[in-house]
Amino acid sequence: MARIVVDPITRIEGHLRIEAEIEGGFIKDAWSSATMFRGIEKILKGRDPRDAWFWTQRFCGVCTTVHSIASVRAVEDALKIKIPPNAQLIRNIIMGIQNVQDHVIHFYHLHALDWVDITSGLKADPAKTAALAASLSDWPNNSPTYFKAIQDKVKAFVASGRLGPFANAYWGHPAYKLPPEANLMATAHYLEALEWQKDVIKIHAILGSKNPHPQSFLVGGMSIPIDPDSQNALNADKLIEIKRLLKKAQDFVEKVYIPDLLAVASFYKEWAAIGGGLGNYMSYGEFPDANGNLWFPSGALLNKDLSKVIKVDQGKIAEYVDHSWFENSAGAGKGLHPYEGETEVRYTGPKPPYTNLDTNAKYSFAKSPRYEEKAMEVGPLARILVAYASGHKETKAVVDLVLGKLGVGAPALFSTLGRTAARGIDALLIAQQTPKWLDELIGNISKGDYRIHNNESWDPSTWPAEAKGYGFHEAPRGALGHWIKIKDQKILNYQAVVPSTWNSSPRDAKGQRGAYEAALVGTPVADANKPLEILRTIHSFDPCMACAVHVMDVDGNEVVRVKVS
Amino acid sequence: MSIHKKSEVAETAEHGLETPGFSVGEILKQRGVSRRDFLKFCTVMTAAMSLPASFAPSVAQALDEVKRPTLVWLNFQDCTGDSEALLRAANPTVGEIILDILSVDYHETIMAAAGHQADEALESTITKYKGKYICVVEGSISMKDDGVYGCTSGKTHLEIARRVCGSAAATIAIGTCAAYGGIAAAVPNPTGAVGVKDAVPGATVINLPGCPCNADNLTATIVHYLVFGKIPAMDSKGRPLFAYGKRIHDNCERRPHFDAGQYVEHWGDDAHRKGFCLYKMGCKGPGTFHNCPTQRYNEKTSWPVASGHGCAGCSEPQFWDSMGPMYKRLPNVPGFGIEHTADQIGLGMAVGVASAFAVHGVVTALRRDKKPEETKEG
């Protein structure tokens, strides 16, 4: 049996290593290892809870808003702060465009090259490409001239002999199945999406100063003031610009992303039966209205059973470290709830440089979160399945439309292709919904409501001596939770259980695989030296490894004194 | 191949960065980039480098003649925020950077190859262009326990940095983590994280701190290098003066409100809506050297102060410890003029003086029309 290693897994955020055993052209077993660690949660101890969003935002620069949102929510929960409706709407718009932009970048720039052979597009007929594109949507760029120009650009690039980031890839691999015209179309949209993403995300700059790492979050609300009569606040000019950009986002998703997704998927339908994995799904739900009701519902599904949605209880989450490079004084096989979480990093892997990890022992810096001891998959697929199973009207309509166009049934969603399709469905739903939150915000402003922050508990002297709270956020990559304990106005303990930790987790004490590992089992591999198929399934999760890895510290451990007051 | 007579600076730059292929100008022409657009780009870059506009033709000529240089981008203890910043670059766009201007031979976030094919791409590039490629590092480097807290392809980031940065013509440490260790190096620095210069002392390093770095400053640095064939003038913290030579406070659009004593007191109050000074809300602009107020972000759309939130001081070394807590005002802000660079002001403000925050500092808000007025903190 051959063991292969893919390290680095590229076109993801962060540092991920996959080891897999291959037998008879299929993956028999797989191990997922996170190989980078920073320890930010440990660094957070003793600091001002109001600063935590800024620190945790640096867990990740790709999903650059998600930890800020979860963090301010955790502190607001601990201090019983209710934020003004406008702050909630601004957060919804920020989360909405983050989700849409992130999914488009994932599809074109991180995932597409698993399905699209750029070099094959050089053989395409531009006129036929335009005809293909025009049959899918009425996007204005669907002309032979446009595709010819793109093809010439790529030809000149290839002729220069310097392929840069496209060098040494799997071009010509037998698993690539798109005709040249579809390859050229996708290549053109790869370049177009690069332009598009930097434009639409200016919404974050307008509402939060910049992207990545927007800077207008506050415990209690947002820092971007509202005043139609001021140049230094959210005024009509800025609101109209946001509206224009949201329209641009929606147009691209409807007329380019979804048509491309359906076109590519129709050539790879066998991937609707590959990469299913765990079959347990969890979503925290998202986009609260002024009363706190969520637009996307929260829930969990077990064993691919869409008939029964289980209510999520944060008290049933625990993390295990039996195969992670951490120590846990609770003892082997014991998990700890994030409030009581306890971990000390202790690397026991091979001394670098190494060729293989000892996967019978500890083999990752990611921990193993479990829900009632069960491994769960989180992400757009989980979110869409939970919404679909809960009867969420908008979701049901789009899912049925996509399944109908591909001519497959709902079980096709439990797969690598299903994950990729669900991400598109998610982007479409949110791209269509976000303008409504902007309209609500404009409605509030026209009624004279300019409130963006609740000041009541801003001053730490008003806080109780001790408090604790948690914040859930259904991020682009799935269920994210932050837990905080506050004592004497400072962070006593801070813990995050992150989507990519759920998905990338190593085995737990019972030997249950994490979501990546489970999904890889049974995946075909045509050429062990060019494991393109591993990338397809792993990329379908959209890994974010900087998020996945963090250390949690024990309550009552010796707190290293942080030199700030 | 160039239609221009080669300038001396271009000769020097080319000597350092020679790679097979055409000149940047030729390549852009082939790609259908008009001469007019190219010159426009050169003008923007000239401004970004704080050079007089009359330099634009020299920049254009030098870029015309420099051949498409090789770049490798390494991700270590990072959050990929600086790579994302690169994706938002507008002058040029990342598409132009990848296809036209640089040969980006290794960048894990965007490259098609993975695993050992990716490894081979890096190896062959650094061997073939030894001493001639530009290396960009994103993220800090863990030094503790022989660097086991950061590994790629079974090798420690420390080992990779020593090899790749050690053989580069120059290394750009992009973002505060690569420059100074950043967030991972904040107290108690669990992994012994440091910046590139500390990990590989022999390397030629340009620091472009910021959390994340402004992509325009990255492009301007690369263009500066291509045009003049040498790294830009830097302050004692290794930062190019063209981007980090002035304090946020001195270029801030809200400075007149500071001078007039008009401050935001509460989030969302009348002063906040009118765009008054955020100093009392914890703004670290008075202690931070960076060109945010003029360069701004996302195609000059905005920057933190313009969104109603104070500067966090993110381009200063160890700002995570020295500038925090975020909403506590800086003590002892003197009325330095803009002629003072970071080196002259030194560590006098708050940087490294953590204990200063324990004392109820007395803040001096200098007014031009009267003698210094003292504002009690509280």
Side-chain angles (χ1 to χ4, degrees), chain A residues 413-456:
Chain A
L413 289 167
F414 307 121
S415 67
T416 293
L417 191 63
R419 244 171 246 119
T420 301
R423 190 168 292 106
I425 293 168
D426 191 51
L428 179 64
L429 286 165
I430 296 174
Q432 292 174 339
Q433 189 65 20
T434 307
K436 297 176 189 166
W437 293 315
L438 180 67
D439 289 342
E440 262 187 75
L441 177 65
I442 293 171
N444 287 351
I445 297 171
S446 34
K447 283 184 223 131
D449 181 358
Y450 302 165
R451 292 170 300 152
I452 41 100
H453 187 254
N454 175 350
N455 277 316
E456 281 165 30

Side-chain angles (χ1 to χ4, degrees), chain B residues 94 124 130 142 235 269 300 331 347-348:
Chain B
V94 71
S124 83
K130 192 172 186 333
S142 163
D235 68 7
D269 68 7
K300 299 192 187 290
L347 301 175

Side-chain angles (χ1 to χ4, degrees), chain A residues 41 59 66-67 70-71 74 284 314 317 319 338 469-475 478-484 494-499 502 550 552:
Chain A
E41 283 155 313
F59 282 166
V66 308
H67 295 288
S71 181
Y284 292 160
Q314 66 90 22
I317 294 165
E319 292 205 294
Y470 73 96
F472 274 176
H473 171 32
E474 184 64 18
L480 167 66
H482 282 206
W483 283 260
I484 188 169
Y494 200 102
Q495 311 174 11
V497 182
V498 179
W502 285 100
H550 42 267
M552 294 155 199

Side-chain angles (χ1 to χ4, degrees), chain B residues 302-354:
Chain B
S302 188
W303 68 292
V305 167
S307 75
H309 195 284
C311 159
C314 73
S315 60
E316 293 301 315
Q318 279 66 56
F319 84 96
W320 291 103
D321 291 317
S322 63
M323 290 289 194
M326 194 152 63
Y327 302 104
K328 195 146 193 165
R329 71 187 61 165
L330 280 173
N332 304 322
V333 173
F336 284 113
I338 54 171
E339 70 279 11
H340 288 79
T341 63
D343 295 345
Q344 288 164 295
I345 291 176
L347 301 175
M349 200 156 297
V351 183
V353 191

